[in-house]
Amino acid sequence: MIDISGKTAIVTGAASGIGLGIATALAEAGANVVMADIQKDAVEAAAHGLSGTNKQVMPVRIDVTQEQSVLDALAEAERKFGKLHIACNNAGVPMHGVPLTEVSLADWQFVIGVNVWGVIHGIRHFVPAIRKHGEEGHIVNTASVAGVQNRRGTNQGPYSMSKYAVLSLSEALEHELEGTNIGVSVLCPGPINTNIARGARNRPEHLGGPQIRATDEAVLAERLATTGLDPKIVGERVVDAIRTKTFYAFVSAVPADVIRARHRRIEEALSSNWVTHY
């Protein structure tokens, strides 16, 4: 097991929800935690709330869609703590309730910018930062159960697509880091009681600025509040995945039968006369 105590972790999207749950669990495990979020005031307040858990908590503002912002946050982390060991590329936004043909170009750019480019920037810069000192480390990328199946009737194609991408990026990263002392986990939560439904309210100006979809937000927020798991438990799941080097880290309610049916459909398609195996 990797020893988390004394290690330095950065968590994006750490002002609330899953990110705050992860940051809390890491701090309680003894890690130095860099809490990064696009909401400066909110992440500073969240870090203040954790100061009694672990005094080595530092809030930083980050826009994961902007490479320079990611580099700046990394530089602050290394300036404060010296070495980075754990990176949780967690920041994410929803995109539900709109059919694919009606999703605007700006909305596509937003969901891909945060959910996909945010992870890409994290991989490109946090991984080399961990590798350069040679000590044990871990990467956690937040996907979703939506990353392994498309839920019917929700019109969440853009969100699912972005989380499929996170899953694929994580699998590729695991292959590339095989044989090293850096582990990889892909977090696949089911419903979690967070405020992700209102994620577009923090949309950066270069991606169209803040946006409010009151009806869609209310529907998703109610579903998450009614069925969602406490984010603190998700944080505990992440700590366990890091310690045990678990790759597929599912947590909360998962539509297991739907996922198995999808995989069976793929396996059946491999039996086609049009396919040769290697």
Side-chain angles (χ1 to χ4, degrees):
M1 285 190 177
I2 182 173
D3 183 9
I4 292 174
S5 181
K7 300 291 194 299
T8 296
I10 187 167
V11 183
T12 65
S16 63
I18 291 175
L20 179 55
I22 295 171
T24 301
L26 286 168
E28 290 179 348
N32 307 313
V33 184
V34 180
M35 299 175 65
D37 199 281
I38 197 168
Q39 302 177 80
K40 183 175 183 293
D41 292 344
V43 77
E44 287 177 351
H48 179 73
L50 286 188
S51 61
T53 305
N54 183 321
K55 295 188 183 303
Q56 297 302 311
V57 174
M58 180 178 73
V60 298
R61 185 187 182 278
I62 194 171
D63 177 351
V64 298
T65 71
Q66 301 276 57
E67 183 176 35
Q68 189 58 53
S69 182
V70 174
L71 285 166
D72 291 344
L74 173 59
E76 286 192 55
E78 292 181 323
R79 207 162 29 241
K80 172 73 172 177
F81 298 117
K83 298 174 184 177
L84 181 68
H85 302 88
I86 298 166
C88 299
N89 297 307
N90 168 75
V93 295
M95 193 62 62
H96 298 67
V98 181
L100 289 171
T101 55
E102 298 175 21
V103 177
S104 70
L105 181 59
D107 285 347
W108 279 112
Q109 291 170 334
F110 178 47
V111 72
I112 293 172
V114 177
N115 294 359
V116 182
W117 275 106
V119 175
I120 292 171
H121 290 319
I123 289 173
R124 291 191 69 242
H125 299 297
F126 297 150
V127 174
I130 296 171
R131 295 194 76 164
K132 70 183 180 183
H133 56 66
E135 296 175 9
E136 201 169 24
H138 205 91
I139 306 294
V140 180
N141 296 324
T142 298
S144 168
V145 293
V148 289
Q149 51 88 37
N150 268 287
R151 182 174 176 179
R152 293 181 183 275
T154 60
N155 289 327
Q156 63 174 15
Y159 180 76
S160 289
M161 176 277 299
S162 71
K163 294 304 185 178
Y164 271 64
V166 173
L167 181 67
S168 181
L169 285 166
S170 302
E171 290 174 338
L173 184 62
E174 184 195 33
H175 296 164
E176 293 183 12
L177 292 176
E178 188 175 1
T180 74
N181 58 355
I182 302 175
V184 179
S185 296
V186 58
L187 177 64
C188 298
I192 308 299
N193 189 1
T194 74
N195 61 2
I196 190 175
R198 299 176 178 83
R201 298 179 187 224
N202 302 310
R203 189 170 179 158
E205 292 297 335
H206 72 94
L207 291 176
Q211 193 171 80
I212 298 174
R213 296 189 184 91
T215 302
D216 292 338
E217 289 179 2
V219 171
L220 181 58
E222 182 180 1
R223 178 160 64 87
L224 294 179
T226 303
T227 65
L229 190 69
D230 184 342
K232 177 69 186 304
I233 298 175
V234 185
E236 294 168 359
R237 176 69 181 101
V238 168
V239 166
D240 180 75
I242 293 171
R243 284 177 168 154
T244 60
K245 294 192 174 180
T246 299
F247 182 74
Y248 296 106
F250 286 95
V251 63
S252 188
V254 174
D257 289 344
V258 175
I259 296 170
R260 292 189 182 105
R262 174 178 177 266
H263 287 192
R264 282 196 301 270
R265 188 182 180 195
I266 293 171
E267 290 175 6
E268 289 166 2
L270 294 175
S271 300
S272 167
N273 292 332
W274 296 94
V275 175
T276 57
H277 297 181
Y278 66 90

